[in-house]
């Protein structure tokens, strides 16, 4: 058996937590797990792999798929070709298919399950309504791994990972990193937020809004609201979620004090994960939520703030 | 069509009766008299303005020169629609209607799911003798709050021995709001589809649950030879004659709100009132602005699907405050859009909003 | 400036309950309506805006059955000059196969291009891979998650990529190149029914897919399965601190909170 090459996602000095899912799948695949990382000072999960190959290339070079193609070539030359090459399903992993084209390898993206018996990978179709079981017709196969799918399988190894350094290749002209651009704080576009904290009429009065703003800040969420909140001018129109406001599809939609009127639901029902907090167990929003908390929203808000800051 | 419109606006004498009756006047930047003026001179119009219109029809009804200012607004909107430059929320509503035949984008396959709440089967209209079609309406087919209306009316018709059938998944949006949004091409497609179904199944009579649907089917689908009524027009005689027994009691003060598309635009004022008067124990109150001059709730003109720019006290809130002044406990109405727009402000002021069928069902 | 935009007709499954037929052989799409892939709509809009500013023309290309003509007409109504249908009745699940087919088509028909645009992914298979595969096969520079095209120069473009958490990176990409466009890059114009009818007057050229190379599939779809049953909302129970702790755990798992 060959090895599994796990290409770590490291950005702005952070070894992204979703790498754990790649590591988990690596463990399930069995065999040697080799973690590829860029140059830089950061905490890598080296207890969860057999070997760590540190490329002497800074992040911006490493994360550039035009350069990564060359880096991968160098790894294959040094270690032979792996059975699988794993990337995170992320903005970075969304470019991994380029290596499939470059090297003529099979590619399966957004892998969220693996059946070792059948040797198939589970891939979502139609927004998770059905899943396709896929087999790669050859090795190496490139996989991008869905966040949250495999991290519980990442297992600590008996021995520490063997550390290896590798020369980076010169970066190519065809594509170059210019700079990072931070999100503009003015003129919020809630449709672009990954995480929305949405408040409804249940918050009671305008004075409570500040507390929810603080919570949004602590959780790094963007504050939005349902129509009654905007009609009362507690939040600006740009923050309105619903048929006559904006339609949003964030990764997480945390609805507090929102009952779930039809027109509101229409604006957020395709969110990846809907969490509803409401004191009314019969609130329609619970029919659309993935997770629910029945309780006093102000108390939940304050406790979350406390835990988030701590 | 365009030539007629062009000459029609030239007859406008700028008397201002239109703006005088407009529910958006004075509270928003919308000035329909001015828009007609601009059309006369082919001048540019601020593209946010035409979207304020609620299609209440008051301007067209009161115009002494048959200018039809509400049609002028639709023409202005049509130009914006063809340019592709319309609010995103409206685009969504139109695109949803194109794909799923309802502006909410709900699955067409689930359009008849409401009927599962009944303890009897509702036949397809082709299986009925009377070929009486109950035209359900998009919001009533899908919105949990409004779904009770077709369920109630089905029960009431059964109690009154009135045979009816539905089209189920074959029903497409009537297109009333679509036409008012200015998407003439999409309206035509919906009209064609519905008319083909009416013809295929030999529909003889259409009973609409929403005054908006009734309006489109009766006045804008051309000469189909099919009789179109609002359900209250069929229920009223049944209730008056006692064919539907109302043994219960409803001891509340109920004020009736005339929906624009039922009242001022289609002249149905008495039937809903006679139904309410027949409910035992009910005290029927009237708004000062009632019947032809009923205050538009701002649910029409496509306004259910997008937000206008201006912030102002909504007519729905004004209406609720009027109801409070008159001592009402309940606002009754016969249009699902009125129900939706009035309910939020009503709940805040401690009033309830009930569609007529909900009141009848409680005393059935 | 010649821009090729790929546009796909996809099943609108958001509101539908899907049924798997047989022993997992296929998904029953017979009662599902179809529409243009949302990402491709943004792509076409972006392409049209670029040529409006920089001159040139947009060619829309669709790989699919005859019904895919619908999305070509739509692209033309939005401002594309041409529409090409590479007609196939096969469902090509493997993005590699699609990429090969496209590469072969472009080569054989000598379709000129400076920039090739795809959507980040399609609403049906959500592979998000065709753009990358194509770029790799053609040896072209590639960028996905493109949320802004800030400058289009003679030999390069300056684009912004959407990263996580509201962060973006500005990147310079040499042309010719392949870019995968992220939704939200612009506000696509509304295309009216009358507009689509008008677009029908422009000829859409049809090419048969079996006239081009697509190689053999590199992945195999073994069968379809349903996801694990999740009945309604999972209610979080317990003391306030416990419940809130659980909530934070969910946020961490979803990757929105560290």
């Amino acid at each position: 058996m060959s090895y599994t090459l796990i290409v770590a996602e490291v950005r702005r000095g952070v070894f992204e937590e979703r790498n754990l899912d790649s590591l988990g799948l690596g463990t399930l695949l069995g065999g040697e797990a080799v973690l590829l990382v860029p140059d830089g000072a950061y905490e890598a999960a080296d207890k969860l792999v057999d070997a760590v190959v540190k490329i002497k290339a800074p992040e911006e070079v490493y994360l550039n798929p035009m350069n990564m193609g060359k880096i991968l070539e160098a790894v294959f030359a040094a270690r032979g070709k792996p059975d699988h090459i794993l990337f995170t399903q992320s903005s970075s992993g969304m470019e991994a298919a380029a290596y499939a084209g470059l090297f003529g390898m099979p590619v399966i993206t957004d892998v969220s399950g693996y059946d070792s018996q059948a040797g198939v990978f589970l891939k979502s179709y139609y927004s998770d309504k059905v899943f396709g079981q896929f087999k790669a017709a050859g090795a190496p196969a490139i996989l991008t791994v869905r966040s949250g799918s495999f991290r519980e399988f990442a297992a600590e190894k008996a021995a520490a990972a063997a550390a290896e350094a590798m020369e980076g290749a010169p970066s190519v002209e065809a594509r170059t990193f210019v700079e990072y651009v931070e999100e503009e704080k003015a003129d919020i576009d809630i449709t672009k937020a990954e995480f929305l904290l949405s408040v409804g009429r249940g918050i009671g009065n305008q004075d409570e809004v500040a507390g929810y703003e603080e919570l949004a800040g602590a959780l790094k969420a963007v504050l939005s609201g349902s129509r009654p909140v905007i009609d009362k001018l507690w939040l600006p129109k740009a923050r309105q979620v619903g048929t006559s406001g904006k339609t949003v599809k964030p990764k997480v939609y945390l609805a507090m004090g929102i009952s779930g009127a039809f027109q509101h639901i229409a604006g957020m029902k395709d969110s990846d994960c809907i969490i509803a907090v409401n004191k009314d167990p019969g609130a329609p929003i619970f029919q659309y939520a993935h997770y629910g908390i029945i309780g006093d929203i102000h108390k939940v808000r304050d406790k979350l703030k406390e835990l988030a800051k701590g | 069509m365009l030539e007629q419109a062009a000459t029609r606006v030239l007859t406008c004498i700028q008397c201002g009766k239109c703006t005088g009756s407009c529910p958006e006047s004075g509270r928003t930047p919308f000035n329909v008299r001015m828009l007609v003026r601009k059309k006369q001179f082919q001048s540019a119009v601020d593209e946010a303005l035409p979207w304020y219109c609620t299609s209440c029809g008051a301007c067209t009804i009161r115009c002494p020169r048959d200018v039809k200012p509400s049609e002028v607004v639709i023409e202005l909107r049509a130009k914006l629609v063809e340019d592709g430059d319309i609010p995103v929320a409206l685009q969504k509503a139109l695109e949803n209607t194109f794909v799923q035949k309802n502006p909410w984008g709900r699955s067409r396959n689930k359009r008849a799911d409401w009927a599962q709440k009944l303890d009897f089967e509702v036949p397809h209209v082709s299986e009925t003798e009377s070929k009486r079609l109950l035209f359900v309406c998009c919001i009533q087919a899908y919105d949990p709050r409004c779904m009770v209306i077709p369920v109630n009316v089905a029960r009431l018709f059964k109690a009154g021995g009135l045979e009816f059938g539905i089209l189920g998944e074959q029903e497409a949006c009537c297109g009333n709001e679509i036409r008012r949004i200015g998407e003439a091409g999409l309206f035509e497609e919906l009209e064609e589809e519905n008319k083909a179904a009416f013809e295929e199944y030999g529909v003889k009579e259409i009973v609409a649950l929403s005054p908006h649907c009734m309006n489109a089917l009766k006045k804008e689908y051309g000469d189909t030879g099919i009789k179109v009524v609002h359900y209250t027009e069929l229920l009223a005689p049944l209730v008056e004659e006692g064919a539907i027994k109302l043994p219960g009691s409803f001891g509340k003060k109920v004020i009736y709100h005339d929906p624009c598309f039922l009242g001022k635009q289609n002249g149905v004022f008495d039937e809903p009132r006679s139904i309410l008067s027949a409910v035992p124990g009910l005290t029927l109150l009237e708004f000062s602005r009632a019947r032809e001059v009923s205050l538009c709730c701002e649910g029409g003109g496509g306004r259910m699907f997008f937000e206008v720019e201006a912030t102002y006290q909504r007519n729905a809130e004004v209406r609720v405050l009027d109801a409070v002044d008159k001592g009402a406990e309940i606002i009754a109405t016969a249009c699902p859009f009125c129900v939706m727009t009035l309910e939020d402000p009503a709940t805040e002021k401690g009033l309830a909003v009930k569609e007529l069928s909900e009141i009848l069902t409680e005393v059935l | 400036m010649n821009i090729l935009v790929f546009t796909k007709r996809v099943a609108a499954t958001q509101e539908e309950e899907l049924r798997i037929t047989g022993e997992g052989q296929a998904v029953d799409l017979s009662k599902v309506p179809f529409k243009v892939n949302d990402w491709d709509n943004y792509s076409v809009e972006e392409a049209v805006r670029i040529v409006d500013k920089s001159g040139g023309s947009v060619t829309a290309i669709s790989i699919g059955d005859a019904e895919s003509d619908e999305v070509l007409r739509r692209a033309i109504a939005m401002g594309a000059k041409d529409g090409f249908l590479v007609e196939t009745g096969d469902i090509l699940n493997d993005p590699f196969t699609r990429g090969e087919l496209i590469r072969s088509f472009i080569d054989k028909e000598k379709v000129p291009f400076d920039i090739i645009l795809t959507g980040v992914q399609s609403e049906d298979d959500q592979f998000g891979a065709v753009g990358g595969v194509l770029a790799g096969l053609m040896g072209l520079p590639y960028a996905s998650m493109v949320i802004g095209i800030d400058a289009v120069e003679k030999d390069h473009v300056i684009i912004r990529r959407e990263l996580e958490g509201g962060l973006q990176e500005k990147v310079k990409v040499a042309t010719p190149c392949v870019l995968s466009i992220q939704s939200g890059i612009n506000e696509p114009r509304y295309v009216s029914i009358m507009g689509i009818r008008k677009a029908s007057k422009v000829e859409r050229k049809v090419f048969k897919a079996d006239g081009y190379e697509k190689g053999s599939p590199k992945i195999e779809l073994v069968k379809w399965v349903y996801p694990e049953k999740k009945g309604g909302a999972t209610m979080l129970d317990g003391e306030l601190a416990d419940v809130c702790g659980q909530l934070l755990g969910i946020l961490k798992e979803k990757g929105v909170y560290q």
Side-chain angles (χ1 to χ4, degrees):
Chain A
M1 179 165 208
S2 179
Y3 65 103
T4 302
L5 181 64
I6 298 159
V7 180
E9 187 192 348
V10 178
R11 193 177 284 282
R12 289 179 127 188
V14 175
F15 182 85
E16 297 288 352
E17 210 174 302
R18 48 186 164 263
N19 287 314
L20 291 175
D21 296 291
S22 306
L23 294 170
L25 179 55
T27 305
L28 286 180
L29 288 167
E32 194 194 0
V34 178
L35 183 66
L36 186 65
V37 292
D39 211 1
Y42 50 83
E43 292 281 320
D46 44 0
K47 293 209 180 72
L48 304 171
V49 291
D50 299 298
V52 177
V53 176
K54 196 165 200 173
I55 300 290
K56 285 202 191 131
E59 252 177 52
E60 312 81 64
V61 170
Y62 174 93
L63 288 166
N64 181 335
M66 312 286 91
N67 298 321
M68 176 54 74
K70 304 249 180 283
I71 292 172
L72 289 174
E73 258 173 25
V75 172
F76 301 158
R79 285 179 153 269
K81 290 198 177 145
D83 281 338
H84 300 97
I85 310 174
L86 308 186
F87 295 84
T88 55
Q89 172 72 357
S90 60
S91 61
S92 155
M94 287 305 270
E95 299 185 315
Y99 315 124
L102 184 63
F103 297 118
M105 293 175 186
V107 57
I108 305 172
T109 58
D110 195 27
V111 173
S112 53
Y114 174 59
D115 181 341
S116 54
Q117 291 274 355
V120 293
F121 297 99
L122 232 55
K123 194 241 172 285
S124 159
Y125 263 69
Y126 308 115
S127 302
D128 286 12
K129 289 198 175 194
V130 295
F131 285 78
Q133 288 182 347
F134 282 93
K135 259 194 168 104
I142 295 173
L143 309 174
T144 68
V145 182
R146 181 183 274 198
S147 173
S149 299
F150 297 100
R151 58 186 61 183
E152 67 263 36
F153 299 109
E156 267 196 27
K157 306 278 173 176
E164 220 182 280
M166 225 174 148
E167 286 301 318
S171 64
V172 302
E173 288 290 298
R175 172 176 154 167
T176 47
F177 169 80
V178 176
E179 63 186 0
Y180 282 114
V181 178
E182 293 281 358
E183 176 180 50
E184 278 144 28
K185 287 311 168 186
D187 269 68
I188 276 286
D189 184 353
I190 58 174
T191 62
K192 302 205 157 97
E194 267 191 340
F195 179 11
L196 284 172
L197 168 61
S198 207
V199 295
R201 207 212 317 239
I203 65 174
N205 69 69
Q206 187 156 22
D207 299 330
E208 300 291 347
V209 176
Y212 288 92
E213 266 166 2
E214 278 166 37
L215 177 60
L219 295 178
K220 295 217 176 41
V222 173
L223 194 61
S224 59
S226 62
R227 171 126 180 223
V229 164
I230 274 76
D231 273 355
K232 289 183 207 298
L233 305 181
W234 296 352
L235 283 180
K237 265 202 187 142
R239 307 264 179 167
Q240 186 179 338
V241 174
T243 317
S244 52
K246 304 249 170 78
T247 301
V248 298
K249 292 181 201 185
K251 281 207 183 121
V252 176
Y253 190 84
L254 174 55
M256 300 186 75
I258 292 179
S259 62
F262 186 61
Q263 274 142 307
H264 184 80
I265 298 291
M268 43 63 82
K269 63 180 165 52
D270 295 331
S271 309
D272 280 349
C273 176
I274 300 170
I275 309 173
V277 185
N278 199 300
K279 66 175 192 286
D280 174 11
I285 195 156
F286 288 120
Q287 290 170 40
Y288 295 90
H290 300 94
Y291 297 98
I293 297 175
I294 298 172
D296 181 320
I297 53 173
H298 296 331
K299 292 210 177 102
V300 171
R301 169 197 67 188
D302 295 336
K303 184 53 83 173
L304 280 173
K305 267 198 284 179
E306 196 191 301
L307 292 176
K309 290 202 180 126
Chain B
M1 238 327 244
L2 262 160
E3 267 200 39
Q4 271 184 16
T7 44
R8 222 172 51 223
V9 291
L10 292 178
T11 69
C12 169
I13 52 173
Q14 291 283 290
C15 70
K17 269 185 107 170
C18 50
T19 289
S21 32
C22 176
E24 298 302 291
S25 261
R27 34 194 349 111
T28 72
F30 185 70
N31 181 326
V32 67
R33 176 193 53 74
M34 187 264 292
L35 288 180
V36 174
R37 187 59 154 176
K38 297 240 172 176
K39 193 98 209 269
Q40 284 180 326
F41 290 103
Q42 318 257 31
S43 321
V45 167
D46 177 341
E47 60 190 38
L49 289 179
W51 300 112
Y52 283 94
C53 175
T54 64
S55 302
C56 73
C59 54
T60 294
I61 291 169
R62 299 190 72 209
C63 175
R65 305 282 288 190
D66 195 33
V67 172
K68 299 195 187 16
S70 39
E71 292 293 325
V72 171
V73 172
I74 294 177
E75 283 151 28
L76 290 169
R77 290 176 170 190
K79 172 95 193 1
L80 294 170
V81 164
E82 293 309 319
D83 285 345
D85 205 358
I86 59 178
V88 176
L90 266 181
Q91 284 193 36
K92 276 243 102 55
L94 293 172
E95 280 160 13
N96 284 339
T97 309
F98 179 62
V99 177
Q100 294 278 20
K101 306 296 183 268
N102 69 85
W104 317 99
R106 291 304 181 94
S107 167
R108 188 169 198 184
N109 298 315
K110 301 194 179 142
R111 200 174 174 111
D113 280 6
W114 64 269
Q116 288 163 21
K117 296 191 190 288
L118 294 166
D119 54 12
F120 57 92
E121 283 264 346
V122 176
H124 188 273
V125 67
S126 57
E127 293 162 20
T128 64
E129 266 212 55
S130 58
K131 300 287 186 274
R132 178 183 291 118
L133 173 66
L134 181 70
F135 197 90
V136 179
C137 157
C138 303
I139 200 174
Q140 294 177 82
Y142 296 111
D143 172 23
R145 193 296 171 224
C146 292
M147 227 187 256
V148 297
I149 302 170
V151 170
N152 291 344
V153 173
R155 289 201 184 112
L156 288 163
F157 277 8
K158 184 150 195 274
L162 214 55
E163 196 205 25
F164 70 95
I166 56 175
L167 281 173
E169 295 151 23
Q170 291 165 304
E171 182 183 290
C173 175
C174 66
N176 194 63
E177 302 308 283
I178 305 299
R179 190 175 93 74
R180 276 145 187 81
I181 289 169
E183 232 291 23
L186 183 54
F187 174 77
E188 270 171 39
E189 298 232 341
L190 294 167
E191 181 195 2
E192 257 172 54
E193 197 176 325
N194 279 326
K195 275 162 80 165
F198 300 159
E199 220 185 279
E200 185 179 343
Y201 301 116
V203 170
K204 297 215 183 87
E205 185 184 354
I206 302 177
V207 187
L209 290 181
S210 165
H212 291 248
C213 299
M214 181 198 32
N215 187 69
L217 296 166
K218 187 170 182 176
K219 288 153 65 173
E220 304 188 344
Y221 270 34
D223 197 4
T224 56
I226 301 174
K227 181 166 184 238
V228 180
V229 292
H230 185 251
Y231 85 88
T232 50
E233 296 178 83
L234 283 189
L235 266 191
L238 292 176
V239 163
E240 283 159 28
E241 290 155 18
I244 297 180
K245 305 253 179 282
L246 307 173
S249 180
F250 198 86
K252 301 266 185 193
K253 299 201 182 75
V254 177
I255 194 164
Y256 177 67
H257 165 79
D258 291 279
C260 295
F261 275 97
L262 187 61
K264 57 173 78 74
Q265 293 205 40
N266 283 286
V268 179
F269 302 107
D270 297 322
E271 287 87 336
R273 286 172 169 80
S274 102
I275 288 173
L276 287 170
S277 301
V279 174
L282 190 153
T283 309
L284 183 57
L285 305 171
E286 290 280 353
F287 284 102
S288 309
R289 283 189 68 158
R291 304 180 75 101
E292 287 87 348
V293 294
S294 175
L295 181 65
C296 178
C297 74
E298 296 181 296
R303 297 261 317 245
M304 288 298 272
F305 309 110
F306 69 99
E307 280 301 342
V308 291
E309 283 174 21
T311 315
Y312 60 100
Q313 185 189 35
R314 295 298 159 94
N315 283 5
E317 204 183 306
V318 171
R319 201 62 162 162
V320 167
L321 292 172
D322 286 347
V324 169
D325 270 349
K326 296 283 179 189
E329 298 166 88
I330 292 181
I331 301 175
T333 186
C335 170
F337 284 3
C338 293
V339 168
M340 296 293 276
T341 47
L342 292 170
E343 202 155 57
D344 245 3
T347 314
E348 269 172 43
K349 306 275 186 284
L351 261 60
V353 173
K354 296 224 181 259
E355 205 272 344
L356 247 54
S357 69
E358 295 184 278
I359 296 177
L360 280 178
T361 305
E362 281 189 46
V363 295
L364 198 60
Chain C
M1 165 82 21
N2 285 312
I3 305 187
L4 302 186
V5 188
F6 284 88
T7 173
K8 191 179 183 193
R9 181 174 179 263
V10 296
T13 54
Q14 283 300 357
E15 297 290 323
E16 312 294 330
E17 270 150 39
L18 295 179
R19 211 175 47 90
I20 295 174
T21 59
E23 301 286 316
Q25 277 99 31
V27 177
D28 182 8
L29 297 176
S30 58
K31 288 186 90 186
V32 178
F34 279 71
K35 61 192 267 295
V36 68
N37 180 34
D38 203 27
W39 277 272
D40 296 338
N41 199 34
Y42 285 99
S43 252
V44 172
E45 175 69 33
E46 194 62 22
V48 170
R49 288 189 190 193
I50 293 173
V51 304
D52 273 352
K53 258 177 42 186
S54 322
S57 69
V58 176
T59 299
I61 306 179
S62 190
I63 318 275
D65 59 17
E67 310 266 8
S68 297
D69 181 54
E70 200 181 279
V71 300
L72 290 176
R73 269 180 283 139
R74 202 194 147 86
I76 291 167
M78 286 171 81
K81 177 160 153 283
D82 289 305
F84 295 162
L85 173 62
V86 180
E87 192 182 338
T88 172
D90 296 335
I91 298 173
L92 305 169
N93 280 310
D94 184 359
F96 208 99
T97 305
R98 297 182 79 93
E100 284 272 29
L101 178 58
I102 294 171
R103 192 260 293 258
S104 168
F105 171 75
I106 293 176
D107 274 348
K108 196 158 174 205
E109 299 301 327
K110 301 198 186 4
V111 186
F113 67 90
D114 296 291
I115 304 177
I116 297 177
L117 298 184
T118 75
V120 157
Q121 62 188 35
S122 57
E123 290 175 59
D124 48 10
D125 61 37
Q126 296 168 316
F127 253 98
V130 169
V133 168
L134 182 65
L137 286 172
M138 294 179 80
L140 293 173
Y142 179 60
S144 181
M145 306 293 280
V146 176
I147 196 68
I149 299 181
D150 293 341
V152 176
E153 310 292 351
K154 226 168 58 153
D155 62 355
H156 71 271
V157 291
I158 306 281
I159 58 130
R160 270 172 297 117
R161 294 187 62 235
E162 183 185 87
L163 305 178
E164 280 69 19
L167 185 64
Q168 296 179 1
E169 66 169 345
K170 197 174 263 190
V171 173
K172 178 177 170 191
V173 185
T175 47
C177 65
V178 180
L179 302 174
S180 290
I181 301 295
Q182 176 62 307
S183 59
I185 186 174
N186 54 44
E187 266 182 31
R189 66 201 66 192
Y190 175 69
V191 182
S192 72
I193 302 295
M194 301 214 298
I196 295 181
R197 284 186 200 153
K198 263 191 236 147
S200 304
K201 306 207 171 93
V202 176
E203 188 206 353
R204 282 89 61 208
K205 276 192 95 174
V206 180
F207 303 83
K208 295 286 177 196
D210 46 26
Y212 311 98
E213 296 296 318
K214 63 179 199 285
S216 42
K218 289 198 166 5
I219 62 175
E220 180 201 336
L221 171 60
V222 173
K223 74 181 217 204
W224 296 102
V225 292
Y226 291 112
E228 269 154 38
K229 259 306 175 187
K230 277 178 216 161
T234 304
M235 300 310 281
L236 305 181
D237 268 325
E239 292 291 315
L240 183 63
D242 187 24
V243 161
C244 290
Q246 288 178 55
L247 206 170
L248 290 176
I250 295 168
L251 297 180
K252 277 199 190 147
E253 197 192 291
K254 297 294 163 188
V256 298
Y257 174 71
Q258 293 259 10

